[in-house]
Amino acid sequence: INPETRRTVAATFDSLGIKKRSGTLIFGFSPGSAWPMKRWSIEGYAEVILKLKKTYACEVFLFGAAEDRQTVAELQTLTRHCGLNLVGCFDLRELPAAMAWCDLFICNDTGPMHVAVASGVPVVAIFCATTPDLGFYPYTSRAIVVEKKLHCRPCSSHGGVRCPLGTEDCIRLIRPEHVLNAVGKLLGADRPNAGAGDVTVPQFMTL
């Protein structure tokens, strides 16, 4: 990330009234995906955000592409607008610098997951219809993959538009408490040691 891009991103945050403050965590979220079966539930994301706001002194950043506007708008409604909507605020060149402001990033199995990893941000990655076995997990020990073990996963390499079985169990059976547990592990004493073992392999929380 070049210095000029960092300055541009900092100026954008400044225009939004956002500054880094000591003792305040920044949680980044990317709840969207082009593939519906890759998207964890909006209700689940909302419960996680509300719980984090109660538990930590924190700010919540909501990232997304133009096609994620509806998803993020729904999330804002459910959380009573307690997160900062950053959809459309940054281009692809600026996105890594913006994500680098976050202390932890929570997302689906999507491109922003990899951008967060490349930006050096710890990641909780929620895998619904897809599986890490396909090879696209977060390549860092500072990440936890949350997934539900099911015989029907993966239903396709991209997760697909709808559940072939009509159950959406891969989404429904991942609960907010599972994601919050992963957040706590990354923030707390159980945080993976990036200097030990294979630094390109995340932890797996298989339910």
Side-chain angles (χ1 to χ4, degrees):
I1 305 171
N2 67 57
E4 181 59 33
T5 301
R6 290 187 187 276
R7 286 191 291 270
T8 299
V9 167
T12 299
F13 279 127
D14 186 62
S15 71
L16 295 170
I18 298 296
K19 298 183 183 299
K20 287 187 177 180
R21 296 193 296 271
S22 177
T24 299
L25 294 170
I26 297 177
F27 292 106
F29 285 81
S30 182
S33 172
W35 300 94
M37 292 308 298
K38 275 190 173 185
R39 292 184 212 133
W40 191 44
S41 69
I42 290 298
E43 294 79 10
Y45 273 114
E47 190 169 334
V48 167
I49 288 172
L50 292 173
K51 183 66 174 179
L52 291 175
K53 291 291 285 186
K54 287 182 179 179
T55 306
Y56 302 98
C58 67
E59 299 282 354
V60 171
F61 290 179
L62 303 175
F63 292 88
E67 58 267 26
D68 300 319
R69 289 188 188 278
Q70 182 62 35
T71 298
V72 172
E74 291 175 14
L75 185 54
Q76 285 281 69
T77 298
L78 290 174
T79 59
R80 300 183 290 278
H81 295 266
C82 67
L84 178 65
N85 186 344
L86 296 175
V87 172
C89 289
F90 302 105
D91 60 28
L92 286 175
R93 179 178 53 86
E94 296 164 343
L95 191 58
M99 287 185 175
W101 277 55
C102 300
D103 295 287
L104 192 143
F105 200 76
I106 303 167
C107 58
N108 304 311
D109 170 24
T110 54
M113 172 185 74
H114 300 290
V115 176
V117 170
S119 301
V121 180
V123 171
V124 174
I126 306 167
F127 276 60
C128 297
T130 52
T131 65
D133 294 340
L134 294 171
F136 301 111
Y137 55 82
Y139 291 97
T140 174
S141 61
R142 300 177 69 203
I144 297 178
V145 171
V146 181
E147 60 178 344
K148 177 65 179 176
K149 186 176 181 180
L150 295 166
H151 70 86
C152 53
R153 291 178 63 237
C155 54
S156 76
S157 59
H158 296 295
V161 176
R162 62 184 61 84
C163 174
L165 302 180
T167 64
E168 297 190 351
D169 280 350
C170 62
I171 297 171
R172 187 175 55 82
L173 297 179
I174 297 175
R175 304 297 306 149
E177 55 266 28
H178 301 140
V179 176
L180 289 163
N181 186 19
V183 170
K185 284 188 173 184
L186 284 174
L187 291 178
D190 294 328
R191 177 173 171 171
N193 182 354
D198 189 341
V199 297
T200 66
V201 178
Q203 291 188 52
F204 295 94
M205 184 182 291
T206 304
L207 311 170

